[in-house]
Amino acid sequence: MTAATNKVEAFNGFSQWLGFGNRGVLADNDPVEQEKAMECDALLTTAGIFHNALDIAEIVRQLLEEG
């Protein structure tokens, strides 16, 4: 349970660090617009994690080639 909680907290922390626009404050009272904002934030965070994974995979590939 603790490991799962830590992963969620790490994701949320990275999302806050990466996020932009009103420092994460939802300024709209429309639940649909709030959900859109949260989903876009999650998509941006996931894209950042994916980009890092690709970078790490490339570095590992280069290291393996170099021996």
mmCIF file of all heavy atoms in Angstrom, residues 6-36:
data_model
loop_
_atom_site.group_PDB
_atom_site.id
_atom_site.type_symbol
_atom_site.label_atom_id
_atom_site.label_comp_id
_atom_site.label_asym_id
_atom_site.label_seq_id
_atom_site.Cartn_x
_atom_site.Cartn_y
_atom_site.Cartn_z
ATOM 1 N N ASN A 6 3.298 6.077 -2.548
ATOM 2 C CA ASN A 6 4.504 6.827 -2.900
ATOM 3 C C ASN A 6 4.565 7.120 -4.395
ATOM 4 O O ASN A 6 4.983 8.204 -4.798
ATOM 5 C CB ASN A 6 5.753 6.068 -2.454
ATOM 6 C CG ASN A 6 5.920 6.077 -0.954
ATOM 7 O OD1 ASN A 6 5.332 6.888 -0.254
ATOM 8 N ND2 ASN A 6 6.712 5.151 -0.453
ATOM 9 N N LYS A 7 4.149 6.163 -5.219
ATOM 10 C CA LYS A 7 4.146 6.375 -6.671
ATOM 11 C C LYS A 7 3.167 7.486 -7.054
ATOM 12 O O LYS A 7 3.472 8.329 -7.885
ATOM 13 C CB LYS A 7 3.793 5.083 -7.402
ATOM 14 C CG LYS A 7 4.899 4.065 -7.376
ATOM 15 C CD LYS A 7 4.507 2.808 -8.100
ATOM 16 C CE LYS A 7 5.590 1.757 -7.954
ATOM 17 N NZ LYS A 7 5.223 0.507 -8.615
ATOM 18 N N VAL A 8 2.001 7.456 -6.443
ATOM 19 C CA VAL A 8 0.994 8.492 -6.735
ATOM 20 C C VAL A 8 1.500 9.862 -6.296
ATOM 21 O O VAL A 8 1.363 10.849 -7.023
ATOM 22 C CB VAL A 8 -0.353 8.152 -6.060
ATOM 23 C CG1 VAL A 8 -1.321 9.315 -6.155
ATOM 24 C CG2 VAL A 8 -0.962 6.901 -6.682
ATOM 25 N N GLU A 9 2.104 9.914 -5.116
ATOM 26 C CA GLU A 9 2.631 11.188 -4.616
ATOM 27 C C GLU A 9 3.770 11.696 -5.497
ATOM 28 O O GLU A 9 3.874 12.900 -5.748
ATOM 29 C CB GLU A 9 3.098 11.054 -3.167
ATOM 30 C CG GLU A 9 1.960 10.882 -2.177
ATOM 31 C CD GLU A 9 0.981 12.044 -2.178
ATOM 32 O OE1 GLU A 9 1.409 13.211 -2.311
ATOM 33 O OE2 GLU A 9 -0.228 11.779 -2.061
ATOM 34 N N ALA A 10 4.609 10.791 -5.979
ATOM 35 C CA ALA A 10 5.696 11.193 -6.879
ATOM 36 C C ALA A 10 5.130 11.729 -8.192
ATOM 37 O O ALA A 10 5.605 12.740 -8.722
ATOM 38 C CB ALA A 10 6.628 10.018 -7.145
ATOM 39 N N PHE A 11 4.109 11.063 -8.718
ATOM 40 C CA PHE A 11 3.457 11.525 -9.942
ATOM 41 C C PHE A 11 2.869 12.916 -9.731
ATOM 42 O O PHE A 11 3.059 13.817 -10.548
ATOM 43 C CB PHE A 11 2.358 10.546 -10.369
ATOM 44 C CG PHE A 11 1.658 10.918 -11.649
ATOM 45 C CD1 PHE A 11 2.145 10.473 -12.866
ATOM 46 C CD2 PHE A 11 0.514 11.693 -11.640
ATOM 47 C CE1 PHE A 11 1.507 10.799 -14.056
ATOM 48 C CE2 PHE A 11 -0.127 12.030 -12.817
ATOM 49 C CZ PHE A 11 0.369 11.585 -14.029
ATOM 50 N N ASN A 12 2.173 13.101 -8.625
ATOM 51 C CA ASN A 12 1.563 14.402 -8.335
ATOM 52 C C ASN A 12 2.616 15.490 -8.137
ATOM 53 O O ASN A 12 2.431 16.625 -8.586
ATOM 54 C CB ASN A 12 0.666 14.309 -7.099
ATOM 55 C CG ASN A 12 -0.597 13.516 -7.364
ATOM 56 O OD1 ASN A 12 -1.034 13.386 -8.505
ATOM 57 N ND2 ASN A 12 -1.171 12.962 -6.319
ATOM 58 N N GLY A 13 3.711 15.148 -7.478
ATOM 59 C CA GLY A 13 4.786 16.123 -7.291
ATOM 60 C C GLY A 13 5.409 16.528 -8.615
ATOM 61 O O GLY A 13 5.673 17.714 -8.853
ATOM 62 N N PHE A 14 5.658 15.542 -9.476
ATOM 63 C CA PHE A 14 6.212 15.837 -10.802
ATOM 64 C C PHE A 14 5.215 16.663 -11.615
ATOM 65 O O PHE A 14 5.593 17.602 -12.310
ATOM 66 C CB PHE A 14 6.558 14.536 -11.536
ATOM 67 C CG PHE A 14 7.176 14.746 -12.884
ATOM 68 C CD1 PHE A 14 8.367 15.440 -13.024
ATOM 69 C CD2 PHE A 14 6.581 14.231 -14.020
ATOM 70 C CE1 PHE A 14 8.952 15.636 -14.270
ATOM 71 C CE2 PHE A 14 7.149 14.417 -15.269
ATOM 72 C CZ PHE A 14 8.339 15.118 -15.396
ATOM 73 N N SER A 15 3.945 16.335 -11.492
ATOM 74 C CA SER A 15 2.898 17.074 -12.202
ATOM 75 C C SER A 15 2.877 18.533 -11.764
ATOM 76 O O SER A 15 2.762 19.444 -12.593
ATOM 77 C CB SER A 15 1.543 16.426 -11.940
ATOM 78 O OG SER A 15 0.525 17.100 -12.615
ATOM 79 N N GLN A 16 3.003 18.767 -10.469
ATOM 80 C CA GLN A 16 3.039 20.144 -9.971
ATOM 81 C C GLN A 16 4.275 20.869 -10.468
ATOM 82 O O GLN A 16 4.210 22.041 -10.841
ATOM 83 C CB GLN A 16 3.025 20.161 -8.449
ATOM 84 C CG GLN A 16 1.663 20.203 -7.851
ATOM 85 C CD GLN A 16 1.744 20.434 -6.352
ATOM 86 O OE1 GLN A 16 2.630 19.907 -5.670
ATOM 87 N NE2 GLN A 16 0.824 21.208 -5.839
ATOM 88 N N TRP A 17 5.415 20.194 -10.452
ATOM 89 C CA TRP A 17 6.663 20.805 -10.903
ATOM 90 C C TRP A 17 6.592 21.138 -12.386
ATOM 91 O O TRP A 17 7.044 22.195 -12.811
ATOM 92 C CB TRP A 17 7.825 19.855 -10.634
ATOM 93 C CG TRP A 17 9.133 20.377 -11.118
ATOM 94 C CD1 TRP A 17 9.949 21.270 -10.481
ATOM 95 C CD2 TRP A 17 9.778 20.056 -12.352
ATOM 96 N NE1 TRP A 17 11.064 21.514 -11.249
ATOM 97 C CE2 TRP A 17 10.985 20.779 -12.410
ATOM 98 C CE3 TRP A 17 9.456 19.217 -13.416
ATOM 99 C CZ2 TRP A 17 11.859 20.693 -13.476
ATOM 100 C CZ3 TRP A 17 10.326 19.139 -14.482
ATOM 101 C CH2 TRP A 17 11.521 19.876 -14.499
ATOM 102 N N LEU A 18 6.009 20.231 -13.167
ATOM 103 C CA LEU A 18 5.953 20.383 -14.621
ATOM 104 C C LEU A 18 4.838 21.324 -15.055
ATOM 105 O O LEU A 18 4.946 21.993 -16.068
ATOM 106 C CB LEU A 18 5.751 19.009 -15.263
ATOM 107 C CG LEU A 18 5.886 18.887 -16.752
ATOM 108 C CD1 LEU A 18 7.311 19.229 -17.176
ATOM 109 C CD2 LEU A 18 5.536 17.477 -17.196
ATOM 110 N N GLY A 19 3.791 21.385 -14.277
ATOM 111 C CA GLY A 19 2.580 22.117 -14.660
ATOM 112 C C GLY A 19 2.781 23.601 -14.871
ATOM 113 O O GLY A 19 3.780 24.187 -14.473
ATOM 114 N N PHE A 20 1.826 24.174 -15.516
ATOM 115 C CA PHE A 20 1.853 25.605 -15.780
ATOM 116 C C PHE A 20 0.419 26.113 -15.792
ATOM 117 O O PHE A 20 -0.522 25.331 -15.792
ATOM 118 C CB PHE A 20 2.533 25.899 -17.124
ATOM 119 C CG PHE A 20 1.838 25.282 -18.301
ATOM 120 C CD1 PHE A 20 0.865 25.976 -18.993
ATOM 121 C CD2 PHE A 20 2.145 23.996 -18.705
ATOM 122 C CE1 PHE A 20 0.213 25.411 -20.066
ATOM 123 C CE2 PHE A 20 1.507 23.420 -19.779
ATOM 124 C CZ PHE A 20 0.537 24.130 -20.458
ATOM 125 N N GLY A 21 0.256 27.382 -15.776
ATOM 126 C CA GLY A 21 -1.075 27.975 -15.868
ATOM 127 C C GLY A 21 -1.765 28.052 -14.525
ATOM 128 O O GLY A 21 -2.336 27.084 -14.051
ATOM 129 N N ASN A 22 -1.693 29.165 -13.900
ATOM 130 C CA ASN A 22 -2.409 29.463 -12.662
ATOM 131 C C ASN A 22 -1.983 28.565 -11.503
ATOM 132 O O ASN A 22 -2.751 28.330 -10.584
ATOM 133 C CB ASN A 22 -3.917 29.384 -12.894
ATOM 134 C CG ASN A 22 -4.681 30.310 -11.987
ATOM 135 O OD1 ASN A 22 -4.121 31.246 -11.440
ATOM 136 N ND2 ASN A 22 -5.962 30.050 -11.828
ATOM 137 N N ARG A 23 -0.790 28.014 -11.576
ATOM 138 C CA ARG A 23 -0.202 27.200 -10.502
ATOM 139 C C ARG A 23 -1.122 26.079 -10.032
ATOM 140 O O ARG A 23 -1.214 25.767 -8.845
ATOM 141 C CB ARG A 23 0.197 28.076 -9.334
ATOM 142 C CG ARG A 23 1.291 29.038 -9.693
ATOM 143 C CD ARG A 23 1.776 29.806 -8.493
ATOM 144 N NE ARG A 23 2.848 30.682 -8.906
ATOM 145 C CZ ARG A 23 3.094 31.825 -8.346
ATOM 146 N NH1 ARG A 23 2.366 32.246 -7.335
ATOM 147 N NH2 ARG A 23 4.086 32.571 -8.770
ATOM 148 N N GLY A 24 -1.852 25.483 -10.953
ATOM 149 C CA GLY A 24 -2.714 24.355 -10.621
ATOM 150 C C GLY A 24 -4.064 24.712 -10.036
ATOM 151 O O GLY A 24 -4.843 23.834 -9.701
ATOM 152 N N VAL A 25 -4.350 26.000 -9.921
ATOM 153 C CA VAL A 25 -5.638 26.418 -9.375
ATOM 154 C C VAL A 25 -6.681 26.336 -10.473
ATOM 155 O O VAL A 25 -6.506 26.890 -11.566
ATOM 156 C CB VAL A 25 -5.565 27.858 -8.816
ATOM 157 C CG1 VAL A 25 -6.940 28.327 -8.362
ATOM 158 C CG2 VAL A 25 -4.574 27.934 -7.682
ATOM 159 N N LEU A 26 -7.774 25.627 -10.201
ATOM 160 C CA LEU A 26 -8.867 25.517 -11.163
ATOM 161 C C LEU A 26 -9.763 26.741 -10.985
ATOM 162 O O LEU A 26 -10.445 26.886 -9.976
ATOM 163 C CB LEU A 26 -9.658 24.231 -10.938
ATOM 164 C CG LEU A 26 -8.873 22.937 -11.118
ATOM 165 C CD1 LEU A 26 -9.725 21.744 -10.720
ATOM 166 C CD2 LEU A 26 -8.387 22.793 -12.543
ATOM 167 N N ALA A 27 -9.739 27.614 -11.976
ATOM 168 C CA ALA A 27 -10.457 28.876 -11.869
ATOM 169 C C ALA A 27 -11.886 28.786 -12.399
ATOM 170 O O ALA A 27 -12.650 29.727 -12.277
ATOM 171 C CB ALA A 27 -9.700 29.969 -12.629
ATOM 172 N N ASP A 28 -12.250 27.662 -12.973
ATOM 173 C CA ASP A 28 -13.571 27.498 -13.575
ATOM 174 C C ASP A 28 -14.441 26.633 -12.669
ATOM 175 O O ASP A 28 -13.984 25.627 -12.133
ATOM 176 C CB ASP A 28 -13.419 26.843 -14.954
ATOM 177 C CG ASP A 28 -14.625 27.052 -15.834
ATOM 178 O OD1 ASP A 28 -15.746 27.128 -15.289
ATOM 179 O OD2 ASP A 28 -14.450 27.157 -17.056
ATOM 180 N N ASN A 29 -15.685 27.018 -12.497
ATOM 181 C CA ASN A 29 -16.603 26.234 -11.662
ATOM 182 C C ASN A 29 -17.305 25.133 -12.442
ATOM 183 O O ASN A 29 -18.031 24.344 -11.856
ATOM 184 C CB ASN A 29 -17.658 27.145 -11.018
ATOM 185 C CG ASN A 29 -17.075 27.986 -9.910
ATOM 186 O OD1 ASN A 29 -16.095 27.587 -9.285
ATOM 187 N ND2 ASN A 29 -17.659 29.139 -9.666
ATOM 188 N N ASP A 30 -17.083 25.081 -13.749
ATOM 189 C CA ASP A 30 -17.705 24.068 -14.583
ATOM 190 C C ASP A 30 -16.960 22.738 -14.411
ATOM 191 O O ASP A 30 -15.777 22.647 -14.710
ATOM 192 C CB ASP A 30 -17.655 24.523 -16.043
ATOM 193 C CG ASP A 30 -18.319 23.541 -16.992
ATOM 194 O OD1 ASP A 30 -18.927 22.571 -16.517
ATOM 195 O OD2 ASP A 30 -18.229 23.760 -18.216
ATOM 196 N N PRO A 31 -17.642 21.698 -13.924
ATOM 197 C CA PRO A 31 -16.968 20.416 -13.692
ATOM 198 C C PRO A 31 -16.353 19.818 -14.966
ATOM 199 O O PRO A 31 -15.313 19.165 -14.897
ATOM 200 C CB PRO A 31 -18.073 19.502 -13.157
ATOM 201 C CG PRO A 31 -19.201 20.376 -12.784
ATOM 202 C CD PRO A 31 -19.030 21.670 -13.511
ATOM 203 N N VAL A 32 -16.963 20.051 -16.097
ATOM 204 C CA VAL A 32 -16.423 19.535 -17.352
ATOM 205 C C VAL A 32 -15.090 20.211 -17.665
ATOM 206 O O VAL A 32 -14.118 19.553 -18.050
ATOM 207 C CB VAL A 32 -17.433 19.730 -18.510
ATOM 208 C CG1 VAL A 32 -16.816 19.352 -19.843
ATOM 209 C CG2 VAL A 32 -18.701 18.935 -18.255
ATOM 210 N N GLU A 33 -15.032 21.521 -17.483
ATOM 211 C CA GLU A 33 -13.789 22.253 -17.732
ATOM 212 C C GLU A 33 -12.711 21.876 -16.713
ATOM 213 O O GLU A 33 -11.540 21.787 -17.046
ATOM 214 C CB GLU A 33 -14.040 23.762 -17.725
ATOM 215 C CG GLU A 33 -14.885 24.255 -18.878
ATOM 216 C CD GLU A 33 -14.281 23.935 -20.235
ATOM 217 O OE1 GLU A 33 -13.054 24.118 -20.418
ATOM 218 O OE2 GLU A 33 -15.026 23.487 -21.121
ATOM 219 N N GLN A 34 -13.110 21.641 -15.469
ATOM 220 C CA GLN A 34 -12.156 21.209 -14.450
ATOM 221 C C GLN A 34 -11.565 19.846 -14.807
ATOM 222 O O GLN A 34 -10.361 19.622 -14.683
ATOM 223 C CB GLN A 34 -12.834 21.134 -13.081
ATOM 224 C CG GLN A 34 -13.181 22.479 -12.503
ATOM 225 C CD GLN A 34 -13.927 22.365 -11.195
ATOM 226 O OE1 GLN A 34 -14.396 21.286 -10.815
ATOM 227 N NE2 GLN A 34 -14.048 23.482 -10.483
ATOM 228 N N GLU A 35 -12.427 18.945 -15.264
ATOM 229 C CA GLU A 35 -11.949 17.612 -15.651
ATOM 230 C C GLU A 35 -11.008 17.701 -16.847
ATOM 231 O O GLU A 35 -9.980 17.015 -16.883
ATOM 232 C CB GLU A 35 -13.124 16.699 -15.973
ATOM 233 C CG GLU A 35 -12.691 15.276 -16.212
ATOM 234 C CD GLU A 35 -13.846 14.303 -16.324
ATOM 235 O OE1 GLU A 35 -14.998 14.679 -16.087
ATOM 236 O OE2 GLU A 35 -13.570 13.144 -16.661
ATOM 237 N N LYS A 36 -11.330 18.561 -17.816
ATOM 238 C CA LYS A 36 -10.443 18.765 -18.971
ATOM 239 C C LYS A 36 -9.069 19.249 -18.513
ATOM 240 O O LYS A 36 -8.036 18.755 -18.985
ATOM 241 C CB LYS A 36 -11.026 19.793 -19.944
ATOM 242 C CG LYS A 36 -12.076 19.283 -20.847
ATOM 243 C CD LYS A 36 -12.420 20.404 -21.833
ATOM 244 C CE LYS A 36 -13.798 20.293 -22.369
ATOM 245 N NZ LYS A 36 -14.162 21.424 -23.236
#
